Amino acid sequence: MPTYTPPLRDMQFVIHEVFNLVEELKPCPRHADIDVDTINAVLEEGGKFASEVTQPLNRIGDEQGCTLDAKTHEVATPKGFKEAYAKYVEGGWPALSCDPDFGGQGLPLVLNQCLYEMLNSANQAWTMYPGLSHGAYAALETHGTQEQKRLYLPKLVSGEWTGTMCLTEPHCGTDLGLLRTKAEPLGDGSYRITGTKIFISAGEHDMAPNIIHLVLARLPDAPQGSKGISLFVVPKYKVNADGSMGERNGIHCAGLEHKMGIHGNATAQLVLEDAVGTLVGEANKGLPAMFVMMNAARLGVGNQSLGLTEVAFQNALAYAKDRIQMRSLSGPKAKDLPADPIIVHPDVRKMLLTAKAYAEGGRALAIYCTLLLEKELFHPDEKVRAESAELVALLTPIVKAFLTDNGHIATNACLQVFGGHGYIEEHGMSQFVRDNRINMIYEGTNTVQALDLLGRKVLSNNGATLKKFGKLVAQLVEEEGVNEKMAEFINPVAYLGDQLTKFTTEIGFKGYQNADEVGGAATDYLRVLGHLVFGYLFARMAQVALRQVEAGNTDPFYQAKLQTARFYFARLFPETATLMRTARSGVKVLLDTDAALA
Ligand SMILES: Cc1cc2nc3c(=O)[nH]c(=O)nc-3n(C[C@H](O)[C@H](O)[C@H](O)COP(=O)(O)OP(=O)(O)OC[C@H]3O[C@@H](n4cnc5c(N)ncnc54)[C@H](O)[C@@H]3O)c2cc1C
């Protein structure tokens, strides 16, 4: 059975030593009084909740899955899920970073980010139930009417009710312009909604009495395609004017998907038959409104893989120290044993360090993104808000796709460390691989993230946002360029920054002549930019660690950080050269292939 220890030291290192979060947030009135001790205390308690309450349910959730009662359309979650959720609500965890106006605690988003990393390590399937509520909360807070906020937000904030996002239909996944669910005005400000949604995570369950569905649908006179989509809030139980639960609404679960992983999370087919809902935001502007939820969810999905990368690493490391097989090529290391622990073998170390580097780089990126998001929302200076928003937009597809692809590589590497025992269910490693697989697919597949990054975030503004990130890289290079000890971390970042500028111009030029060139290069491009971002963050982490070591600090944490950074730059970062080469081979070898794909 896998175990899990919350990586509190690394979180504190990134939050306090690398990003100096308390000082950075001082100008934001909401966080002017936040201090290091409060942050550390919340992280510690959150870690306890994850490791003691939800982690022991991870295996049970995988084995039992969810069950649908075909007569009542109610869904039972695995044994213990409901009780754990009640404890979560009782502990006030759903309200951690929500707005105090709606009952939230108003604490920095970074706490929610780290709490969710730990919850995902412990049990991704369980974590999705409360996780989706945050997206519904964000969409209603940004686009809801005062009445919708009054009726729904306090209950979502307290966790008394949960939320979902209902986009997908049988014939429409990536291309939401194809969706058919209908919304007809009832004349009293509400709408009758009819249609079928599939693959709805946490779409039905027994953990909370009411579920608040955010549903995309079309009004009768809506234009075709994605410009004719509106967003509606459709509760499972209608809500009375005083906020209490009313009669059952016309939305029910008609089936549950049988799937590869996240068995403990109910993936529901939802049928809307004369369901009643209210419009969120403007008519036909549902997609931009839903994007608030989707962006939150994209960061959340990257965080799911970060959690799985960390827990897979921890368990593979413990196994590699314990399992003895063969002798080290350079002579026995554990002479009192009949063979050496497998951790002596270079390739086993490579697999372990790959997962460790992807966990630590991912954590730094996720926390960095949350800090920017905080500034986007709460900083008093409009310019800082705008610049932070631009960087968050640039980094969101990277968090979603780079972290989930890395999660795939890392969980597979950790399974491999277990050899055949990794393939056997009782060790839990295969569950990490299976659970992670969906993260590369939902919330817009990783291909869609790559197209969003290269097409919308980079090329559409001629690289202006990318240049802003480039300035941060240049600043670091200037700061540390003369420090010989930093050369091994700074030089590769400076070199790639330079290469990426040329690479972007080249793709932009080719794409101008043939738009398919962008599609042919996008996934490679995202990984190259992902590594530039990781490289920048690893260089910043190495900078802090090196200063501590030079000042005589003997805490092995700093040596470990430097060793991981060295491994990252030597063994993972260089894949950028291959990726740029493959992207440069162009789209012809992909499209002139009708005979090969006949
Ligand atoms: C377990 C699970 C949970 C889910 N939870 C939710 C949920 O809570 N709410 C919700 O609304 N949906 C949910 N989904 C749906 C999920 O978001 C979609 O499956 C996903 O967006 C992809 O859509 P699709 O499956 O229809 O694939 P398609 O859109 O049919 O895509 C098939 C393939 O074609 C590729 N492709 C499509 N268009 C392009 C293009 N222009 N360029 C290049 N490649 C392209 C895709 O990347 C993919 O590889 C969930 C799905 C699963 C399996």
Side-chain angles (χ1 to χ4, degrees):
M1 278 275 276
T3 58
Y4 173 61
T5 308
L8 299 178
R9 177 70 179 94
D10 199 50
M11 286 175 175
Q12 289 161 0
F13 169 74
V14 176
I15 294 172
H16 304 308
E17 298 178 62
V18 179
F19 292 125
N20 202 1
L21 188 105
V22 168
E23 284 309 309
E24 286 283 312
L25 291 185
K26 278 255 144 64
C28 308
R30 194 196 245 199
H31 302 310
D33 298 329
I34 190 71
D35 59 76
V36 171
D37 289 345
T38 307
I39 291 177
N40 292 350
V42 175
L43 291 181
E44 201 174 313
E45 285 308 307
K48 272 192 208 154
F49 186 90
S51 57
E52 292 172 12
V53 181
T54 57
Q55 199 270 345
L57 302 173
N58 196 37
R59 180 84 187 278
I60 300 167
D62 190 47
E63 285 172 355
Q64 286 186 357
C66 297
T67 39
L68 170 70
D69 182 326
K71 279 196 195 130
T72 62
H73 303 292
E74 297 291 326
V75 167
T77 53
K79 191 165 181 281
F81 270 43
K82 195 175 162 177
E83 292 74 14
Y85 186 72
K87 277 192 194 159
Y88 186 75
V89 173
E90 197 185 302
W93 293 109
L96 202 61
S97 299
C98 296
D99 192 334
D101 284 353
F102 302 107
Q105 297 174 34
L107 286 166
L109 295 168
V110 74
L111 288 173
N112 213 46
Q113 158 62 36
C114 292
L115 169 70
Y116 268 81
E117 182 204 312
M118 296 187 282
L119 292 172
N120 284 319
S121 284
N123 192 332
Q124 175 173 326
W126 181 90
T127 304
M128 288 169 70
Y129 293 100
L132 279 147
S133 300
H134 284 291
Y137 163 83
L140 285 171
E141 194 192 24
T142 315
H143 294 286
T145 60
Q146 287 309 320
E147 182 65 356
Q148 285 167 334
K149 289 182 192 181
R150 184 182 73 78
L151 289 181
Y152 299 112
L153 289 188
K155 297 278 190 345
L156 286 171
V157 168
S158 68
E160 196 177 329
W161 298 346
T162 64
T164 73
M165 50 194 296
C166 302
L167 293 76
T168 308
E169 297 177 8
H171 56 281
C172 126
T174 301
D175 191 351
L176 291 169
L178 299 174
L179 77 79
R180 292 182 195 145
T181 297
K182 282 192 294 194
E184 296 157 279
L186 287 170
D188 61 354
S190 65
Y191 295 79
R192 178 190 295 119
I193 301 173
T194 317
T196 301
K197 296 285 175 181
I198 61 162
F199 295 168
I200 306 307
S201 297
E204 183 54 65
H205 59 77
D206 55 3
M207 288 166 55
N210 206 2
I211 304 174
I212 310 308
H213 302 283
L214 286 178
V215 179
L216 289 181
R218 269 180 201 292
L219 290 165
D221 53 353
Q224 298 257 308
S226 58
K227 292 206 168 82
I229 298 173
S230 304
L231 179 63
F232 298 87
V233 57
V234 183
K236 174 178 169 183
Y237 282 90
K238 292 178 187 167
V239 179
N240 300 319
D242 65 357
S244 61
M245 263 166 57
E247 61 183 17
R248 187 75 167 81
N249 205 353
I251 178 166
H252 69 265
C253 176
L256 290 179
E257 305 300 344
H258 303 277
K259 53 195 194 287
M260 178 177 177
I262 54 164
H263 294 155
N265 195 270
T267 307
Q269 294 162 23
L270 294 180
V271 175
L272 295 102
E273 280 168 332
D274 297 335
V276 177
T278 52
L279 181 69
V280 180
E282 287 177 50
N284 300 327
K285 298 259 171 70
L287 222 43
M290 192 58 136
F291 255 105
V292 175
M293 188 164 187
M294 283 152 80
N295 281 331
R298 284 173 179 183
L299 296 174
V301 172
N303 206 19
Q304 293 179 328
S305 285
L306 167 58
L308 292 175
T309 301
E310 172 66 34
V311 71
F313 165 68
Q314 288 186 14
N315 285 280
L317 178 64
Y319 188 81
K321 287 178 182 169
D322 187 54
R323 174 75 170 169
I324 56 164
Q325 287 297 297
M326 306 287 286
R327 285 296 183 190
S328 158
L329 289 173
S330 56
K333 299 292 180 286
K335 293 197 176 114
D336 50 335
L337 296 174
D340 284 330
I342 58 171
I343 198 163
V344 303
H345 306 306
D347 200 58
V348 171
R349 282 185 179 243
K350 188 173 96 180
M351 293 188 278
L352 292 169
L353 286 162
T354 297
K356 185 173 166 67
Y358 280 150
E360 292 182 11
R363 183 169 301 120
L365 173 56
I367 291 174
Y368 177 52
C369 230
T370 317
L371 173 59
L372 289 169
L373 202 55
E374 200 90 67
K375 289 184 182 175
E376 173 187 343
L377 295 172
F378 303 116
H379 203 283
D381 184 338
E382 198 185 328
K383 197 165 161 243
V384 175
R385 284 203 304 275
E387 286 205 344
S388 304
E390 266 190 82
L391 283 176
V392 170
L394 180 79
L395 295 175
T396 297
I398 296 175
V399 172
K400 197 294 180 171
F402 194 54
L403 265 55
T404 59
D405 283 347
N406 292 346
H408 183 64
I409 296 167
T411 52
N412 273 288
C414 291
L415 181 148
Q416 188 79 9
V417 169
F418 278 70
H421 300 273
Y423 200 69
I424 304 301
E425 288 293 339
E426 70 201 57
H427 291 280
M429 301 307 285
S430 64
Q431 187 187 348
F432 298 143
V433 175
R434 288 186 286 103
D435 284 357
N436 183 75
R437 193 61 188 82
I438 186 58
N439 301 340
M440 300 152 85
I441 298 172
Y442 58 21
E443 265 333 303
T445 62
N446 285 2
T447 307
V448 169
Q449 304 302 320
L451 290 169
D452 175 49
L453 176 74
L454 182 56
R456 293 194 27 224
K457 310 279 169 69
V458 174
L459 297 179
S460 76
N461 64 10
N462 290 322
T465 313
L466 185 65
K467 276 190 200 125
K468 289 200 174 127
F469 180 73
K471 258 195 196 164
L472 298 174
V473 175
Q475 234 170 40
L476 183 68
V477 171
E478 204 178 299
E479 221 173 291
E480 293 290 352
V482 286
N483 181 354
E484 264 177 43
K485 292 201 173 126
M486 278 294 290
E488 60 182 318
F489 310 117
I490 289 291
N491 290 352
V493 178
Y495 179 75
L496 183 63
D498 190 40
Q499 292 291 304
L500 188 80
T501 308
K502 292 178 196 147
F503 181 50
T504 308
T505 311
E506 227 176 278
I507 298 171
F509 185 67
K510 279 183 172 178
Y512 186 67
Q513 292 169 322
N514 174 7
D516 273 331
E517 291 286 354
V518 175
T523 53
D524 290 343
Y525 186 90
L526 185 142
R527 249 193 113 67
V528 175
L529 186 49
H531 274 299
L532 182 67
V533 174
F534 263 35
Y536 167 74
L537 293 169
F538 264 114
R540 284 190 63 176
M541 292 192 281
Q543 182 185 38
V544 176
L546 206 57
R547 278 189 195 145
Q548 289 295 333
V549 170
E550 284 181 342
N553 193 328
T554 53
D555 183 347
F557 176 87
Y558 297 109
Q559 282 299 351
K561 189 59 78 179
L562 289 170
Q563 288 173 4
T564 308
R566 256 174 221 128
F567 166 82
Y568 170 74
F569 281 111
R571 290 287 181 145
L572 302 178
F573 191 83
E575 79 165 309
T576 49
T578 310
L579 290 164
M580 285 191 283
R581 191 164 168 185
T582 50
R584 281 188 167 118
S585 70
V587 82
K588 196 168 181 309
V589 291
L590 302 175
L591 293 185
D592 284 2
T593 50
D594 286 352
L597 297 177

